[in-house]
Amino acid sequence: MTETTEPQHDNPLLEGLSFRRTPDPCALIIFGASGDLTHKKLMPALYSLAFRGLLPPRFAIIGVARTEGDDDSWREEMKQAVQQHSRDEFRQDVWDGLAANMHYTATDFADEGGEGKLEQLVEQCDKQANLGGNRVYYLAVPPPAFPTIVEALGKRRSATGWTRLIVEKPFGHDLASARELNTMLWAHFDESEIFRIDHYLGKETVQNMLALRFANGVFEPIWNRQFIDHVQITVAESIGIEGRAGYYESAGAIRDIFQNHLLQLLALTAMEPPIDFKSDSVHSEKVKVLKALHTPGPKSVVRGQYGRGFVDGEEVPAYREEKDVASDSMTETFVAAKLFVDNWRWADTPFYVRMGKRLARRETTIAIQFKRAPHPPFEETAAEGLRPNVLLVHVQPDEGVSLAIGAKVPGQGMTIRTVHMDFLYGGAFRTGMPEAYERLILDTMLGDGTLFTRSDEVEEQWLLVDAIVAAWQRDRPAFPNYAAGTWGPPSSEELLRRDGRSWRRN
Ligand code: BG6
C-alpha cells in the first residue's frame, strides 16, 4: 500500500510540533521526587522536552521527597535516571541546561515547617528566574499523602500567576473515596486547575483514534451498530506486578487498568463527535458514553489470577508467589468483560474487553470488527479463508492501524483471502514516538486539560467498577486459573464463544 506522509520538516525532532505554543515561565514542583515514577517517566520526559527546546524559556524544577539529599545528589540521581530511561541520546549540554534549574528539598509535609521550607525555596527560584508566580504541583505520591499536601498548598497559594495541580492515579479506591478526594481538591483548587492523569490519553496512538474517526470521512458513516458487529479491546501485559504488591494487592486489574486506561479507550472509540476539541466538549462526550455503559450481568465479567508459567521462554512465579503477596490472595490479575453502550449508535453491539498481567505478550489493541458482506456472490469454497473486515488500531507496540480486507489470490479461478492494509507510524513519520508524559506535562503548563480526566468521568468509571466488584463478593473463583504466558483463563474464551464469537487470533 502506498502511504502518504505529512510534509517533512528540516528537523525531524520538530515534526508535528509546528503548532505548539511555548508555555509561560513556571516552576514545576514534584512531590515524590525520589520515587519510581519520577525516575522512569517524569525526568526522562522533562529531558526529552528540553532536548526539543519545548520547555518554557524560564523554568525551575523542584523535587520534594522525604529522602535525605541536596541539589547535587538529586541532580546526579536524575542524570542517571535520564541516561537509563530516556528515549533520546544523552547530551551533556542539554542536561547541563536542565540541571542548572533543578533543586531538591528533603521534607516531610506532615512535619511542622515542611511547607514553609518548600515555599521559601520556590520563591527564591521564582525571584531568580522571574517565573511570575506560576506553579505546577505534581502529586507523584501515594494517595494517603494527598490531603496534607493539598491543604498546605491551598493555604499558601502564590498571590500572582497561575497554579495547577497534577494528580497521579489511583484517583480513589471506589466511588465514595473518589468523591471525597474531589471534594477535598475543590476546597482548595478550581476544577480547571486540577489535572487528573490517565497516561494512556497522552499516548500518540490513543489520540490518533480521534484523528482516525473525525479527520476521515470514510469511517464515521459506518461507525455504528448497522455496520459494526462488535468491538474488542485488549490491554495485555507480559510483565508481572514488578514489586508493587503493596499497591496491587488492594487494586487488582479492575482498579489498576480497567477503571481508567481501558474505559478511556472504550470511551474514545464509542463517543459522538464533539463540537470542537476544547477540553469540556471532549469530556462531555466521553461522559455520555460512560453513563450509557453497563455489563449485562455478573456472568459477563470474568476474572483471573496467574499461576506459574513461561513468559518469553523464561519461567516466572505465580502471582501468589510474588514478594509481599498473600499466599491465598484473591486479587485478580486479569479481567475480561462484555459491555454495552446503551445509546442510539451502539445498542446491542458488544464491546468485549480484556486486560491482564503476565499474558503472552505486551499488546494494546482496539479491534473494530465489521459485519460480513451481506451476499458474497462467490462459491463457498472460494471464500473459505476470508474473515470479516477488521479495523485494528495498534496502540502499542508496533504503533499503527491496519485494515483487514478480502483480496483475490493471484492465479486461475477465484480464491479469496484476508490481507492487511497497514499504516505504521515508523514508516510514515520520521520522528520517534513521544512518551505520554511529555505531552501531559507540557499540556498542563499550557493549561490544556483535554487529555486529562474530568471529575464526572472518573466518578462514572468508578460507578461501573463498584457494581462489578460488588457482584464479586458473592463467589470465590478457584485461583490461580491461568498460567503465566497464556491469554487468560478459559472462562475468557467462553465469554465470547457463548455469543458465537472468539477473541481476535493472537
Ligand atoms: C499503569 C499501571 O497505570 O499502567 C501499571 O499501574 C501498568 O500496572 C502500566 O503496568 C502500563 O502502562 P504502559 O504505558 O506500559 O502500557
Side-chain angles (χ1 to χ4, degrees):
M1 174 194 172
T2 317
E3 284 163 343
T4 311
T5 57
E6 69 162 20
Q8 309 263 302
H9 294 249
D10 290 342
N11 180 354
L13 286 175
L14 296 179
E15 200 162 21
L17 291 169
S18 35
F19 303 114
R20 297 298 284 172
R21 287 186 290 137
T22 309
D24 297 336
C26 63
L28 169 67
I29 299 111
I30 305 174
F31 292 91
S34 56
D36 227 34
L37 186 75
T38 307
H39 279 83
K40 291 191 179 147
K41 299 287 180 189
L42 306 187
M43 216 50 230
L46 286 161
Y47 174 80
S48 290
L49 290 173
F51 198 86
R52 288 165 183 72
L54 293 171
L55 289 174
R58 300 195 304 282
F59 184 53
I61 306 172
I62 295 155
V64 189
R66 279 186 294 194
T67 321
E68 276 310 313
D70 57 22
D71 290 358
D72 285 340
S73 61
W74 191 56
R75 285 174 188 156
E76 189 48 40
E77 198 185 316
M78 291 299 109
K79 180 177 167 182
Q80 283 172 24
V82 166
Q83 285 171 330
Q84 205 179 335
H85 300 292
S86 172
R87 70 181 174 109
D88 293 310
E89 62 177 294
F90 185 79
R91 267 184 31 204
Q92 194 64 42
D93 57 326
V94 175
W95 175 253
D96 288 345
L98 194 64
N101 300 314
M102 286 171 57
H103 303 274
Y104 181 78
T105 180
T107 178
D108 186 343
F109 250 55
D111 284 350
E112 271 305 303
E115 45 192 90
K117 199 167 139 193
L118 174 64
E119 192 187 16
Q120 248 180 3
L121 176 60
V122 178
E123 281 189 354
Q124 188 189 320
C125 294
D126 195 325
K127 226 184 248 162
Q128 266 168 16
N130 190 16
L131 303 178
N134 298 328
R135 313 267 189 267
V136 175
Y137 294 105
Y138 200 124
L139 296 191
V141 288
F146 289 179
T148 321
I149 297 176
V150 170
E151 209 168 289
L153 299 179
K155 275 196 293 194
R156 293 171 177 249
R157 293 181 64 122
S158 164
T160 55
W162 46 253
T163 298
R164 292 173 192 140
L165 185 70
I166 305 183
V167 187
E168 260 299 331
K169 66 173 276 242
F171 197 91
H173 185 75
D174 52 17
L175 178 60
S177 55
R179 280 195 174 142
E180 218 173 278
L181 188 50
N182 276 328
T183 308
M184 191 270 292
L185 291 170
W186 291 330
H188 304 281
F189 294 90
D190 185 72
E191 178 67 20
S192 64
E193 295 175 320
I194 303 168
F195 293 74
R196 296 174 193 79
I197 290 258
D198 183 319
H199 80 279
Y200 268 52
L201 295 175
K203 290 183 190 276
E204 280 294 322
T205 37
V206 174
Q207 294 160 50
N208 189 44
M209 188 54 154
L210 297 175
L212 190 71
R213 288 191 55 195
F214 305 132
N216 296 294
V218 295
F219 296 122
E220 213 39 33
I222 55 170
W223 206 263
N224 57 51
R225 64 191 299 275
Q226 275 164 335
F227 294 90
I228 292 175
D229 179 71
H230 71 275
V231 175
Q232 291 187 14
I233 305 182
T234 299
V235 181
E237 293 186 279
S238 55
I239 55 170
I241 55 163
E242 314 236 282
R244 293 159 77 218
Y247 152 74
Y248 201 86
E249 269 284 81
S250 66
I254 193 115
R255 292 184 176 87
D256 186 43
I257 299 274
F258 179 96
Q259 187 271 345
N260 38 78
H261 308 327
L262 190 119
L263 290 183
Q264 284 292 326
L265 294 180
L266 192 153
L268 290 170
T269 308
M271 71 192 259
E272 295 299 312
I275 53 164
D276 54 36
F277 273 103
K278 297 211 173 86
S279 178
D280 270 335
S281 313
V282 175
H283 291 307
S284 298
E285 293 306 337
K286 282 195 285 168
V287 167
K288 283 187 210 162
V289 172
L290 295 167
K291 273 186 195 299
L293 199 59
H294 75 98
T295 69
K299 284 216 177 94
S300 299
V301 185
V302 304
R303 54 188 158 144
Q305 186 194 79
Y306 61 85
R308 284 182 198 175
F310 288 85
V311 173
D312 293 332
E314 244 178 65
E315 188 164 17
V316 296
Y319 176 71
R320 288 177 175 176
E321 294 166 339
E322 301 269 12
K323 190 169 169 290
D324 297 329
V325 169
S327 57
D328 59 351
S329 171
M330 288 306 291
T331 300
E332 79 288 348
T333 58
F334 176 95
V335 178
K338 174 160 82 165
L339 302 167
F340 286 103
V341 180
D342 281 342
N343 64 15
W344 192 277
R345 187 190 284 262
W346 294 114
D348 303 325
T349 310
F351 284 72
Y352 298 103
V353 301
R354 59 179 167 167
M355 77 241 54
K357 297 267 186 207
R358 286 286 189 226
L359 298 182
R361 63 164 181 271
R362 178 171 186 249
E363 174 195 308
T364 300
T365 47
I366 303 171
I368 317 291
Q369 175 146 344
F370 291 91
K371 291 185 174 165
R372 283 187 184 276
H375 175 69
F378 318 105
E379 280 175 28
E380 227 171 84
T381 49
E384 263 170 2
L386 181 66
R387 297 192 300 276
N389 298 121
V390 176
L391 183 71
L392 187 60
V393 178
H394 296 267
V395 173
Q396 63 189 23
D398 307 327
E399 292 83 355
V401 180
S402 100
L403 179 64
I405 54 168
K408 181 183 173 305
V409 177
Q412 304 303 316
M414 180 59 96
T415 307
I416 299 160
R417 202 158 50 82
T418 294
V419 296
H420 294 91
M421 288 203 290
D422 291 326
F423 143 62
L424 280 173
Y425 275 79
F429 302 104
R430 287 185 304 160
T431 179
M433 296 291 274
E435 283 289 329
Y437 280 93
E438 295 169 34
R439 175 67 193 257
L440 297 174
I441 293 173
L442 201 60
D443 276 7
T444 309
M445 292 182 194
L446 291 163
D448 183 350
T450 314
L451 301 178
F452 295 80
T453 48
R454 205 169 61 184
S455 58
D456 48 352
E457 258 168 277
V458 177
E459 292 187 8
E460 286 300 336
Q461 291 171 187
W462 277 123
L463 202 60
L464 179 68
V465 168
D466 281 4
I468 293 174
V469 172
W472 284 354
Q473 309 306 330
R474 290 196 286 274
D475 68 326
R476 226 182 130 77
F479 282 167
N481 59 358
Y482 70 96
T486 64
W487 284 98
S491 47
S492 163
E493 306 296 329
E494 186 52 34
L495 181 70
L496 273 71
R497 201 176 306 130
R498 282 202 301 264
D499 294 347
R501 299 186 177 99
S502 57
W503 289 109
R504 228 173 35 75
R505 213 153 26 101
N506 294 303

